[in-house]
Amino acid sequence: MMLTDYIIPQTQIAAIIEEAGGDLQIRKDHPVKSPEELAPGECLVKLDCSGACHSDLHAAIGDWPVPPRLPLIGGHEGVGIVVAIGKNTVESPVKLGDRVGIKWIANSCLNCEQCRKGREQNCVKALCSGYTVDGTFQEYVVSYVNYVTPIPEGLPSDAAASILCAGVTVYRALKSSQTSAGDWIVIPGAGGGLGHLAVQYARIRGLRVIAIDTGAEKKNLCLKLGAEKWIDFKENKDIVKEVREVTDGLGAHSVLVTASSSEGYEQAIEYLRPGGILMCNGLPGSATLSASVFFTVFKSITICGSYVGNRQDALEAIDIAARGLVKVHFVNRPLADLKDVYNGMMNGTIVGRVVLDMSKK
């Protein structure tokens, strides 16, 4: 197999964190792995863009219980062109020139119990882009031919980027939520990166959405995307009462918490109806989930964690976006603005998503 017919530079621009909580450094001389250095099954992707996710902020800060590898290039929502494939790669599902996406799960063994049961993300040998291996905040990234996701023609790279994490994550959670068309679902964090996509994927499933977040811009976005009810958590003094009133006094059938703060989880059990499902999606750094054991049992409540998705989930989520049924609300920024993007995440001022354009220097 030909390694490449592209001209690959020796160095590139990359955003690097040397230590947890340290300053983000934009370097212009970071080495690019040469085609000859690629192992069988690896590919080199020249990136067009990369989404910026709240998980990237957690990796930079180092506040998750599972520490990242350091030094680290973050990012896991990249889209670009395959420009090299490792020598002796067998039956590669992608070829040179294909446009592909890089996701949070960069690779897994594909042979363990978790992988065989469709939980590749729970494989003990899984590699995580921008966390345990270098990610997509660089111009060229090494990935794996069996794990990159083909991007359909007609779906722009920047429009596809955030589907690869935020979209896949909420899509998988909604599939697991045991909801049916016409059911009520509450989405705390609905105006954020995960949340605004959850609103859209929920509507496609025929669900009735109650959006919880704060701010006029997020309110307008959520209602525009199809949420039937908006609750501003800073203005409303009794969210439980408000949810119950909207849902005929019974409560919601499901809650999908997309917020990355502990507050999104605090009252969720209380506004679920009997038999309701709490889907835990957002990942606060050190928060705990507190629930009344009595009412969890008495109301037959199910609490379920949902962690990103597998390769099939990614293909399905991307296909829905390619057909125009889900659209990421995003702005383009250069990679050099990443530190400012992180500040916006910490302050909760980012509406939708930010996509970093690698062509903007």
Side-chain angles (χ1 to χ4, degrees), residues 8-258:
I8 310 296
Q10 293 183 329
T11 60
Q12 62 173 325
I13 299 173
I16 300 176
I17 291 287
E18 291 284 352
E19 58 184 5
D23 286 338
L24 179 74
Q25 301 176 30
I26 305 295
R27 295 185 182 170
K28 298 183 178 181
D29 59 352
H30 189 73
V32 177
K33 194 170 187 178
S34 71
E36 293 75 20
E37 295 175 302
L38 295 173
E42 289 184 342
C43 59
L44 185 68
V45 178
K46 184 181 187 299
L47 290 168
D48 299 327
C49 60
S50 174
C53 177
H54 218 103
S55 298
D56 299 313
L57 175 61
H58 288 293
I61 295 173
D63 66 343
W64 275 352
V66 180
R69 190 208 73 185
L70 294 169
L72 178 69
I73 297 173
H76 54 273
E77 296 181 347
V79 179
I81 303 298
V82 177
V83 295
I85 295 174
K87 187 178 180 180
N88 297 323
T89 295
V90 178
E91 295 184 353
S92 173
V94 296
K95 63 184 184 301
L96 297 181
D98 283 356
R99 190 165 59 112
V100 299
I102 287 87
K103 307 178 291 299
W104 173 256
I105 302 300
N107 201 12
S108 75
C109 78
L110 297 180
N111 292 312
C112 69
E113 177 188 4
Q114 298 297 330
C115 287
R116 293 195 306 270
K117 289 185 174 180
R119 292 193 296 267
E120 300 153 13
Q121 61 271 37
N122 297 120
C123 172
V124 295
K125 295 182 179 179
L127 301 178
C128 299
S129 301
Y131 209 82
T132 61
V133 295
D134 283 337
T136 55
F137 294 157
Q138 56 184 329
E139 294 177 292
Y140 289 83
V141 63
V142 175
S143 195
Y144 300 85
V145 296
N146 286 320
Y147 257 85
V148 291
T149 299
I151 305 298
E153 290 185 18
L155 180 61
S157 294
D158 53 5
S162 294
I163 298 295
L164 294 164
C165 175
V168 173
T169 297
V170 298
Y171 177 73
R172 169 78 175 216
L174 287 164
K175 287 172 66 175
S176 303
S177 66
Q178 301 180 39
T179 49
S180 303
D183 285 355
W184 285 101
I185 188 166
V186 180
I187 304 177
L194 272 72
H196 86 288
L197 291 172
V199 172
Q200 296 176 73
Y201 282 112
R203 293 287 296 133
I204 289 170
R205 293 175 61 86
L207 302 180
R208 306 181 70 180
V209 176
I210 299 172
I212 298 179
D213 215 315
T214 188
E217 192 174 359
K218 291 183 177 182
K219 174 183 179 179
N220 293 337
L221 176 62
C222 291
L223 294 176
K224 177 182 177 181
L225 295 176
E228 291 190 41
K229 176 66 178 179
W230 164 264
I231 298 176
D232 191 310
F233 66 80
K234 288 187 177 179
E235 297 178 358
N236 194 293
K237 303 302 180 183
D238 194 340
I239 293 176
V240 174
K241 178 182 178 183
E242 187 80 8
V243 170
R244 287 177 176 169
E245 286 180 353
V246 174
T247 57
D248 300 321
L250 299 174
H253 297 85
S254 183
V255 180
L256 173 53
V257 182
T258 62

Side-chain angles (χ1 to χ4, degrees), residues 257-275:
V257 182
T258 62
S260 59
S261 62
S262 59
E263 288 80 6
Y265 289 94
E266 287 178 356
Q267 293 181 307
I269 297 291
E270 296 180 47
Y271 52 68
L272 278 170
R273 68 178 59 197

